[in-house]
Amino acid sequence: MTTSLLEQLIDALRVLPGVGQKSAQRMAYHLLERQREGGKRLSGALAEAMERIGHCERCRDFSETDVCPTCASSARDAHLLCVVESPADRLAIEQATGFRGLYYVLQGRLSPLDGIGPRELGLDRLAQRLEEGEVQELIVATNPTVEGEATAHYLAQLARARSVHPSRLAHGVPLGGELEYVDRGTLSHAFGSRSEIP
Amino acid sequence: MTTSLLEQLIDALRVLPGVGQKSAQRMAYHLLERQREGGKRLSGALAEAMERIGHCERCRDFSETDVCPTCASSARDAHLLCVVESPADRLAIEQATGFRGLYYVLQGRLSPLDGIGPRELGLDRLAQRLEEGEVQELIVATNPTVEGEATAHYLAQLARARSVHPSRLAHGVPLGGELEYVDRGTLSHAFGSRSEIP
């Protein structure tokens, strides 16, 4: 017998990832009790974002303009192209590194079983772009999963066939980690790829 | 250099309880990638709820009408009045128990240090209601915290002074719990209040 607007709100909040019935209730009550203005602002931001954010036609990242600010910027180095699986990966690299080149966002990874092939990831357009000759290095930053590695392999071949130098992120022991808790595969790889202390 | 609508959305999502920068990013990307329709529905539900949900003038619970459906219902037993601290507590009792009486939602608890006294909790209106004579039992279901107990004590006096019978929820070992993990205070209370096995 709760009010139906409240029920609708709780139900609608469950669209958020990791939010079940209990969390949705807590969120709804929190907004109603303490954050009405914040709730209205969120409503507006959601409506605008869902309606107006599309994909950049150069890099496939989310963008509210046809070409995203990064691709449109003349300050970025067009010789370097970093390929990532998702916009979140792009953001992580942009925030953590001083990378000044351009990005290409696959919005997925090769996964034949799910019907995701090169066409779905826009690899035809990526190939075209590599053929234009401006890109000199293709930095492959797919996730270190089985599908991500397969995608990386495919991308490396794509690049080599067009005389573009492919590279990938270094694998090894994470900074700040304890060796004891590093998984075997990573430790074995890091041991094998050890470098001389200068 | 992310798009500004996206940044606005991520920032707006942080108004939700327990949602920080990382979760907000994940939520925004999730909605954009997979749940645009759900995002729009959430936007609409938020706007409507923030604008139109007020408080029931009888029980102070959230309601989109002047008097909430529970208070307006003739099927509820007006002789029983259950006092809770928050709308979430009311919902929990309504869902868990077969209670068919009415509720009174304090929207807080007595807390003199925070400037929350009887007036802020609408206890003057509650006293008036008890004086009308319809309520026979006041079920005090405040939280078993120090402030909740103080509030319960105050409510019990309020009821007794108006010849209304006050009662409170049973304290004891939670169902399904293991004695080993029950806190000392609860266990001691449950031991002292043991009942004969019929």
Side-chain angles (χ1 to χ4, degrees):
Chain A
M1 291 280 275
T2 40
T3 63
S4 82
L5 278 181
L6 180 59
E7 281 172 337
Q8 282 168 31
L9 174 58
I10 291 172
D11 191 58
L13 280 165
R14 295 188 55 183
V15 78
L16 298 171
V19 175
Q21 179 69 19
K22 272 276 171 187
S23 309
Q25 275 176 24
R26 201 163 56 93
M27 286 175 169
Y29 284 129
H30 177 85
L31 291 177
L32 286 169
E33 279 165 21
R34 279 184 285 270
Q35 289 279 5
R36 297 236 176 187
E37 282 315 308
K40 285 181 196 170
R41 208 171 57 241
L42 175 55
S43 167
L46 269 170
E48 282 246 59
M50 295 302 120
E51 201 58 60
R52 289 182 43 202
I53 294 182
H55 292 280
C56 168
E57 54 190 41
R58 290 282 288 165
C59 72
R60 293 166 53 100
D61 193 8
F62 290 124
S63 171
E64 59 199 272
T65 46
D66 289 346
V67 175
C68 74
T70 306
C71 287
S73 165
S74 61
R76 311 284 302 207
D77 183 352
H79 297 131
L80 300 173
L81 187 63
C82 177
V83 184
V84 292
E85 291 183 18
S86 71
D89 294 342
R90 194 211 83 111
L91 184 62
I93 291 180
E94 183 73 6
Q95 288 176 341
T97 72
F99 183 60
R100 298 299 300 160
L102 297 175
Y103 294 94
Y104 197 81
V105 182
L106 299 175
Q107 302 278 6
R109 61 209 69 87
L110 287 179
S111 179
L113 288 179
D114 301 318
I116 299 176
R119 180 171 295 275
E120 282 69 29
L121 302 182
L123 296 190
D124 41 350
R125 272 161 56 197
L126 177 62
Q128 232 173 48
R129 184 153 163 192
L130 295 183
E131 266 157 25
E132 287 166 14
E134 196 170 26
V135 179
Q136 289 169 2
E137 181 181 350
L138 189 76
I139 304 170
V140 180
T142 52
N143 290 322
T145 59
V146 174
E147 290 173 341
E149 292 289 344
T151 310
H153 187 72
Y154 188 97
L155 288 167
Q157 286 188 315
L158 197 85
R160 276 198 210 94
R162 285 155 188 85
S163 314
V164 173
H165 183 69
S167 63
R168 67 166 192 176
L169 303 193
H171 285 315
V173 179
L175 270 70
E178 289 187 61
L179 288 190
E180 187 180 349
Y181 300 112
V182 172
D183 70 284
R184 274 195 208 188
T186 302
L187 193 54
S188 161
H189 179 95
F191 199 83
S193 314
R194 65 190 178 278
S195 57
E196 203 180 311
I197 300 174
Chain B
M1 291 278 275
T2 38
T3 62
S4 81
L5 278 181
L6 181 59
E7 280 172 338
Q8 281 168 32
L9 175 58
I10 291 172
D11 191 58
L13 280 165
R14 295 187 55 183
V15 78
L16 298 172
V19 175
Q21 180 68 18
K22 272 276 171 187
S23 310
Q25 275 176 24
R26 201 163 57 93
M27 286 175 169
Y29 283 129
H30 176 85
L31 291 178
L32 286 170
E33 279 164 22
R34 280 183 284 272
Q35 288 280 7
R36 297 236 176 186
E37 282 315 308
K40 285 180 196 171
R41 207 171 58 240
L42 176 54
S43 166
L46 270 170
E48 282 246 58
M50 296 301 120
E51 200 59 60
R52 288 181 42 203
I53 294 182
H55 292 280
C56 168
E57 55 190 40
R58 289 281 290 165
C59 72
R60 293 165 54 99
D61 193 8
F62 291 124
S63 171
E64 58 199 274
T65 46
D66 289 347
V67 175
C68 74
T70 306
C71 287
S73 166
S74 60
R76 313 282 305 206
D77 183 354
H79 297 130
L80 299 174
L81 187 63
C82 177
V83 184
V84 293
E85 290 183 18
S86 71
D89 294 342
R90 194 210 84 112
L91 184 61
I93 290 179
E94 184 73 5
Q95 287 176 342
T97 71
F99 183 60
R100 298 299 302 160
L102 297 174
Y103 294 94
Y104 197 82
V105 181
L106 300 174
Q107 302 279 5
R109 62 209 71 84
L110 287 178
S111 179
L113 288 179
D114 302 318
I116 299 176
R119 180 170 296 275
E120 281 70 28
L121 302 182
L123 296 190
D124 40 351
R125 272 162 54 198
L126 176 61
Q128 231 172 50
R129 185 154 162 191
L130 295 183
E131 266 157 26
E132 286 165 15
E134 196 169 28
V135 179
Q136 289 169 2
E137 182 180 349
L138 189 75
I139 304 170
V140 180
T142 52
N143 289 322
T145 58
V146 174
E147 289 173 341
E149 291 290 345
T151 309
H153 186 73
Y154 188 97
L155 287 168
Q157 285 188 316
L158 197 84
R160 274 197 212 95
R162 285 154 189 85
S163 314
V164 174
H165 182 69
S167 63
R168 67 166 191 176
L169 304 194
H171 286 314
V173 179
L175 268 70
E178 290 188 58
L179 287 190
E180 187 181 348
Y181 300 112
V182 172
D183 71 284
R184 273 195 209 188
T186 302
L187 193 53
S188 161
H189 179 94
F191 198 84
S193 314
R194 64 191 177 278
S195 56
E196 203 180 310
I197 299 175

